[in-house]
Each structure stands twice: as structure tokens, then as C-alpha cells.
Amino acid sequence: MAVWIQAQQLQGDALHQMQSLYGQHFPIEVRHYLSQWIEGQLWDAIDLENPQEEFKAKRLLDSLIQELQNKAEHQVGEDGFLLKIKLGHYANQLKSTYDRCPLELVRCIKHILYTEQRLVREATNSSSPVGGMMDSMSQKYQQINQAFEELRLLTQDTENDLRKLQHNQEYFIIQYQESLRIQAQLTSLATLPPADRQLREPALLSKRATVEAWLTREANTLQKYRLDLAEKHQKTLQLLRKQQTVILDDELIQWKRRQQLAGNGGPPEGGLDILQSWCEKLAETIWQNRQQIRRAEHLRQQLPIPGPIEELLNELNSTITDIISALVTSTFIIEKQPPQVLKTQTKFAATVRLLVGGKLNVHMNPPQVKATIISEQQAKALLKNENTRNDSSGEILNNNCVMEYHQTTGTLSAHFRNMSLKRIKRSDRRGAESVTEEKFTILFESQFSVGGNELVFQVKTLSLPVVVIVHGSQDNNATATVLWDNAFAEPGRVPFLVPDKVLWPQLYEALNMKYKAEVQSNRGLSEENLVFLAQKAFSSSSNNPDDYRNMTMTWSQFNRESLPGRNFTFWQWFDGVMELTKKHLKPHWNDGAILGFVNKQQAQDMLMSKPNGTFLLRFSDSEIGGITIAWVAENPNKAGERMVWNLMPYTTKDFSIRSLADRISDLNHLLYLYPDRPKDEVFSKYYTPPLSKAVDGYVKPQIKQVVPEFATPNPDPGSGNPTYMDHGASPAPVNQPHTYSIYPSMSDSMLDADGEFDLDDTMDVARHVEELLRRPVESQWGGQQS
């Protein structure tokens, strides 16, 4: 429905607010008769801050006038005659008002449309449950834009008052000079004969009295003008503070929080373009008001009049300086964070940006930014303004960068491309804290001058916490520290405090976010997975999700204390699952082929009700980064009895030799993926194509796996002659080993285009064989519990 149709249905205060939008600057009749045309124009496509857009605005003004004239010409009848005259008058009025400033027409109509939409939305929200679900983001943006429009009008009003004050003061000074001239004439009368003095003195005295009375009256008027102007500036500064609080303390803080959650795999934090445009509008408005206050101060100095204005102007000057200081220091931000797990001697990058750099002309004297790594204690001292004596906790190479202004985007930023942490100095750790729990941060600092060195600001900003490692084996535990910090840090915290324990649903949400991001999947963790993970985390047997809603998990339970009967923590197990899935199982997880988070007993209960040959895939309880196949089949020791078998877990090493799909294809006794899907229907698209026929009289070997008790090889004659290692059946039916042929296949990739032997590929195969031969016999072929 058109906005104008809805606006006409407003009632009460909303209707009065809508009507107050109109007047001589834009008659409501024009809105009514041209409603469809007005709402069909692209007003938002015109940048009001760009003078080059004026020709677009002029075109719209001309079109509006033409539409009005056309509407007027088509009016007939008695009522039509009056409307024709009225619309013609409005066309001339709008042309004379906006012909020299067409951008003001665009500004006016945009303000009208924004306000109407807001009023309609508020009315709809209060009366309709469906309306309550309207886009709150759009509404919030409109409120911010409306506040900017109000600030613009206030600033324009004080500008007009300031000019009026200046004009009146200049006239006052002229009259004051006139009074001095009259006084000089009166003084000179003393040299004249008494007769001449008596003739001229009364007129001069009368004139002096008139001028002095006028000066007294005008001095009071000027003082009132000054006080009124100062009060208006106070009102403007109050609104400026409020608007700045909304943008810096709400919107920018939310952006930083989204950036932190993005480190855990949350949605991208979003671009900074809207935030920058708001910050630039703030900077522009603040600077205009600062200049106005300085001009008012200059006028006071030109013509001192006793009164409270001097104190008021000093207060205004101090307030506006505080506001601009807060804006500049708060908008020095890290656009691209350094990696939160930071390995020494490894190149890393980061980008810092000043959101108001373009408007305040900071780029005219490009500032240099320095990066330093500091400890958690040093960060606390820094925020308390304690003297840290420029201490650092390490040495960063290539840690200086000049900010560059990009004309096309209007951004002022410094991109550190080749930083490297040469060394780190660790502090004394507390209790059981390990090196992977110690947090550091990258401090970025610079100095900006604003208004031709009129104001100079020292700016600093801290990166998200980073954990420094020296070896890849520490990555797992360092990631746990980062995940906990990103998930549970509160805005405005003391660096880098986080709660020691959190509710299980909060932690589960963080794990789900991380899992989906790492695996790059839209398929997250289900409620059944929540129960499984809670059972593992709390050593519980309850299957009721509600039992875990109010349970808390401590950091120690998460990644300090090993799980019962294991030599790894809950996080280390979960991280192993993510790594395995990310590297080798992603398509199968996305297809729903992997149940994954199922324990051995649950797998048995699920499979025993299914036909023989039904199988499922679950993550190993006993091995980090392992996945096992469980299937139901006959018990070879008891005729007519069925049982569930579990294959020894596969790991990344196994899948680097042969994929999961191919291994499932090899095992002919696996028929249906739980609950009842034929395995080829699920996995065939991932099978490796058969090898080509042998050439030069050589037969190519092929790796396949067998489970001895279920070995019924039925080789495909088109795929060469598979080679098996012959192993007897294990008497332990619960967990049977998977086996390999000794020699991997010699693929065609070992020969280059000229038929020459490829040494690198051959060495890869040799390393596989050597690794297999190095394994102890017990670990290769003996049964293990999974």
C-alpha cells in the first residue's frame, strides 16, 4: 500500500505529527495530488553531501513543477478552477524557493517520507501483531537519520542566529562610533564662543541621549541574543551527545561484538560504510558547531558586554572539545583483527581505520600507526591510564605503518601486511594456568592532528585477546582459550576477564557456532547432539535435554581436566571431531550420512531393530579425531543370534590413504545406512572411479580393505585384480580391525607427460608403505575398544 494512503489513516498525535511536516516550504496539497509520482522517485539515490549531485536534484525539481502544472491544466469545473489556480501558485512558489538550492528540496522530501514511514510503522506495530515483526533495523536507521536531520536544522538555525547577531553587533559598533563622534563634537564646543555653543549644544546633547539610550537598549538585546544562542548551542550539544552515544556506544560496540563472535564462526560483522557515514556526519556537525561557538566567542571579544556569557561560552567550548575528542578516539578501530592464535616467527596482518579521517582532513598530514604486543596486566594498566613506560611483551617486526587515504572509498586506514612476532616474554602464570591460557593483545597507537594542528589527539586501540604459541601442537588448547573469551566476554570488561563457569546452553551455542564455521556447513548440532555432548561433558546418563538447561560448565571441565577414563579433555575431543569432519567428512556430514554424536550403547539400541547389514557412522569415544562404523549382523558363535559390531576407528591418517566412501564400498556386508538407505544411493557419488586397464603388460595393484569375518571379496573385473592382505577372523566380535594391502596403487600420476618416472609421487607412496611397516603388529591388527 502506498505510504500516503496509509498516512491518511493515522489518528490522534500521529496525525498531528504528520500534518506538521507540511507548510509553505512544501504544501500538503502537493503531497496529496502528486503522491504516486513523489513515492516513485529515487530520492535516496541523491547524496545530499555531494554538491555534484545538484544537477540530479534540479532535474527532480523541474519534473515536480512540470507534474504540478500538468495536474493544474487538467482541472475542470468550478472546484477545478480554484484548484487549478492553487496548484499553479504552488508550482511558482516551489520554483522560487528551491531553484537556487534544489538539494534542499530533496532533503525536505526525504525527511517527509522518512517521518511518514516511521509514523505508519509505529501505528501498525501498536495495532497489528504482524506489524510488530517489521524490520527493526530499518526503523533504528530511520531514527538515527531523523536525529541527524534535527541536528542539521538546529545547526542551520544557530548559524542564522549567529549571522543575525553579527549583523546587529556590527550596526551597534557603528552607532557606538557615532556616539563617540557626538561626544567629540560636544567636547570641541568648549572652544567656541558661548553664543555658538548655546546654539549647537542642545541638539548634540539630544542626539547623544537618543544614541546612548539606543545603545543601552541594543546592548541588552545583544546580550539576550548571545544568551539565546548559547542556550540553543547547549540544546544542540545535548542532542549531539545523545546521537554520538547511540552510534559509538550502541552501534559501534555491537559491530565490535559481532566482530568478536565472527572469530568463533559467527556471521560476518558487516561492513563499516554505514557506521562511517554516521561518524562522518557527527564529525561534520560537531565541527560546524565548534566553529560557530568560536565565532560567538570572537564576537564577545570584539564587544565585551558584562554578563554570564563568557562563562557559558567557555563551558560550550569545553563540551564540544570533549565530544570531538570522544569521537576521534572511539572511531580509531581495528577493521581486520590479527589472528587470535598467533604463532611466533609467522607472518600475520591487521588493518586499522579511522572512521572520521576524511571529514576532519586527518589525511592531509598522514599519521603513522605503531603496533606493540602487550600482556593482560599491561592492558589493564593502560586502560587505567597508569604509566606503563612503553613496556611491551615481545618484539614485532614491521610494526610501523602510515595511514593511507583512499579517495574512491573515502577511507583512512593502515594495512599492516607483513608483521611477525619475533619473540614473546611471558609473565608468571597463576596456578594451573598453561601458556595457552595466557592472553596478550596487540596495541595500535597513533597521533592525529585536527583542524591544522588546532587539536591533537593521542589515540590507542587494543585488538581482541591473542594467545601466543611456538608450536602447532599448542593450537588446539590456544583455540579453546580464544573460543571461551570470544563467546563469553562482556562489553566494557577489565582486560580480559571472562566468567569461570557458564550455563551449558550458552556453551553449546558457542560450540554449535564454531562447528558450523569450521566444517563450513549449514547443518549444525541438533538437540540429540546436545544431549550426547552434555552426557560426555557431565558424565551423565540422562537423555532429557531439560536436565541440562540449568547446568553450568567450568573452564576446568572444558579444557583442563581430562574426561573420566581418558587422557584428553572435553574440548580436545570435540576439536578432534571438528578437524576430522572438516578435512575428510564434510560432504557426508552435509548429506546427513553421519550421525556422529552417538555413543556405543545408543548405536546398539538403534541398530538391533534394523535388518542385518544396516550400519551407522559415529565419532569414537576413545580416540581424538576418530570415527567408527557400527553395524548389525549375525553372531558367528551363536546361531540365530544377532549382534552389533564396531570397527576400529578411522583417523585422518587412514583417510589420507583411502576415503570413507571407498572404505564403505569395500565392505560388502554393509548394505543400508541407518535407518534404511541403500549405501550406494548415499555414497556412490563419492566413490573413486575404477583404475584404467593395465598397459605394457603390467597389472596395477589396488588398495582395498577387508574385515576378515565378513570378507567376501567380489572384485569388479573392470577394476584390475585387487590385492588383499589375508587375516583370520578375530574372536572378539565387538571390534574388528580394518586391514590394508601392503602396497598402495601405482597411479598414472607417477608418470609425467613424457612417460618419465615422477620421484615426488613415488616418495609419497614409499612414505605410506614405510609408515605402515613401522606400526606395531598389535596396534595394526589387534582389536581395540572404540
Side-chain angles (χ1 to χ4, degrees), residues 105 116 285 374-375 548 678:
L105 172 72
E116 285 180 352
T285 307
I374 62 175
S375 68
Y548 303 106

Side-chain angles (χ1 to χ4, degrees), residues 492-556:
R493 63 172 172 173
V494 176
F496 290 106
L497 290 182
V498 283
D500 183 61
K501 62 181 179 180
V502 296
L503 286 169
W504 169 251
Q506 291 177 294
L507 179 59
Y508 177 76
E509 183 57 40
L511 293 174
N512 185 31
M513 182 185 291
K514 184 71 173 175
Y515 188 87
K516 287 198 292 186
E518 287 294 314
V519 179
Q520 296 178 346
S521 171
N522 290 325
R523 181 191 169 201
L525 305 176
S526 65
E527 181 136 311
E528 291 78 12
N529 301 154
L530 179 151
V531 172
F532 171 85
L533 291 171
Q535 290 173 338
K536 180 176 283 293
F538 300 112
S539 301
S540 170
S541 58
S542 171
N543 289 319
N544 185 355
D546 293 333
D547 290 345
Y548 303 106
R549 301 292 182 199
N550 297 315
M551 292 186 72
T552 58
M553 190 169 191
T554 66
W555 166 253
S556 291

Side-chain angles (χ1 to χ4, degrees), residues 3-168:
V3 176
W4 182 242
I5 295 175
Q6 295 174 299
Q8 292 175 78
Q9 298 170 11
L10 294 172
Q11 296 179 354
D13 184 57
L15 180 60
H16 291 309
Q17 287 186 52
M18 187 269 286
Q19 289 172 339
S20 68
L21 294 170
Y22 299 97
Q24 288 189 344
H25 62 287
F26 197 82
I28 196 168
E29 291 89 343
V30 176
R31 176 71 175 100
H32 181 74
Y33 288 105
L34 298 186
S35 61
Q36 191 172 353
W37 182 89
I38 289 171
E39 292 178 33
Q41 307 310 304
L42 299 175
W43 305 103
D44 283 332
I46 296 179
D47 181 4
L48 297 173
E49 310 304 324
N50 185 357
Q52 296 179 355
E53 298 272 79
E54 193 168 294
F55 76 97
K56 293 184 185 176
K58 183 66 165 64
R59 255 201 331 253
L60 279 170
L61 171 63
D62 292 342
S63 298
L64 174 66
I65 292 168
Q66 186 63 51
E67 289 290 325
L68 266 178
Q69 290 172 341
N70 291 343
K71 196 78 174 175
E73 288 173 6
H74 288 87
Q75 302 304 315
V76 294
E78 186 178 344
D79 292 339
F81 173 73
L82 294 175
L83 184 58
K84 180 176 184 177
I85 293 175
K86 185 177 282 190
L87 292 180
H89 169 71
Y90 289 148
N92 294 331
Q93 179 182 315
L94 289 172
K95 183 172 177 61
S96 63
T97 302
Y98 296 111
D99 201 43
R100 293 185 179 181
C101 52
L103 284 172
E104 288 304 308
L105 172 72
V106 177
R107 193 189 303 276
C108 170
I109 294 178
K110 283 174 74 169
H111 174 63
I112 287 171
L113 292 176
Y114 279 142
T115 307
E116 285 180 352
Q117 288 166 1
R118 177 179 62 81
L119 292 170
V120 167
R121 182 178 289 107
E122 287 173 355
T124 308
N125 287 351
S126 62
S127 61
S128 164
V130 177
M133 298 171 65
M134 294 181 74
D135 187 4
S136 61
M137 187 70 73
S138 173
Q139 187 173 347
K140 181 168 60 177
Y141 285 4
Q142 286 192 12
Q143 288 171 351
I144 290 172
N145 288 333
Q146 267 197 290
F148 273 124
E149 177 62 17
E150 187 177 349
L151 278 167
R152 187 195 68 80
L153 293 172
L154 284 171
T155 303
Q156 185 62 52
D157 188 34
T158 49
E159 177 66 29
N160 293 336
D161 285 358
L162 188 60
R163 288 175 181 172
K164 182 179 177 182
L165 173 63
Q166 183 175 355
H167 174 76
N168 288 355

Side-chain angles (χ1 to χ4, degrees), residues 385-623:
N385 290 321
E386 295 176 2
N387 183 13
T388 57
R389 303 185 308 281
N390 295 319
D391 284 347
S392 70
S393 290
E395 182 182 352
I396 299 178
L397 303 178
N398 303 316
N399 67 330
N400 284 285
C401 187
V402 176
M403 298 195 88
E404 298 177 8
Y405 184 68
H406 306 276
Q407 191 76 39
T408 52
T409 58
T411 58
L412 182 70
S413 58
H415 185 24
F416 293 83
R417 294 175 174 83
N418 296 297
M419 287 192 289
S420 176
L421 183 58
K422 184 177 179 182
R423 60 177 181 84
I424 191 68
K425 181 172 67 179
R426 298 193 182 275
S427 58
D428 295 332
R429 289 182 294 282
R430 302 180 290 268
E433 188 180 81
S434 68
V435 294
T436 54
E437 295 178 42
E438 187 178 3
K439 299 172 191 173
F440 297 88
T441 180
I442 309 295
L443 164 67
F444 295 93
E445 50 190 337
S446 186
Q447 177 177 294
F448 300 143
S449 61
V450 175
N453 293 327
E454 190 178 312
L455 297 173
V456 178
F457 300 104
Q458 302 289 335
V459 295
K460 304 175 191 287
T461 188
L462 297 175
S463 76
L464 294 173
V466 300
V467 178
V468 177
I469 63 173
V470 297
H471 192 274
S473 61
Q474 298 172 307
D475 185 81
N476 173 288
N477 291 324
T479 302
T481 301
V482 167
L483 179 131
W484 191 278
D485 191 279
N486 286 345
F488 309 121
E490 295 181 357
R493 63 172 172 173
V494 176
F496 290 106
L497 290 182
V498 283
D500 183 61
K501 62 181 179 180
V502 296
L503 286 169
W504 169 251
Q506 291 177 294
L507 179 59
Y508 177 76
E509 183 57 40
L511 293 174
N512 185 31
M513 182 185 291
K514 184 71 173 175
Y515 188 87
K516 287 198 292 186
E518 287 294 314
V519 179
Q520 296 178 346
S521 171
N522 290 325
R523 181 191 169 201
L525 305 176
S526 65
E527 181 136 311
E528 291 78 12
N529 301 154
L530 179 151
V531 172
F532 171 85
L533 291 171
Q535 290 173 338
K536 180 176 283 293
F538 300 112
S539 301
S540 170
S541 58
S542 171
N543 289 319
N544 185 355
D546 293 333
D547 290 345
Y548 303 106
R549 301 292 182 199
N550 297 315
M551 292 186 72
T552 58
M553 190 169 191
T554 66
W555 166 253
S556 291
Q557 289 173 298
F558 183 66
N559 198 44
R560 271 191 192 159
E561 302 165 1
S562 294
L563 291 169
R566 307 296 182 200
N567 62 352
F568 48 79
T569 66
F570 172 83
W571 163 256
Q572 288 166 346
W573 178 87
F574 184 82
D575 188 55
V577 165
M578 283 196 304
E579 279 296 301
L580 180 73
T581 309
K582 176 172 70 173
K583 290 180 178 177
H584 300 288
L585 308 177
K586 181 163 63 175
H588 308 303
W589 174 264
N590 289 339
D591 289 349
I594 298 174
L595 288 179
F597 299 98
V598 178
N599 64 39
K600 189 177 290 187
Q601 185 58 51
Q602 289 171 330
Q604 182 162 329
D605 294 342
M606 294 164 72
L607 291 169
M608 285 301 289
S609 63
K610 299 298 177 182
N612 287 347
T614 305
F615 67 99
L616 59 79
L617 297 154
R618 67 179 187 84
F619 298 122
S620 170
D621 284 319
S622 60
E623 185 163 357

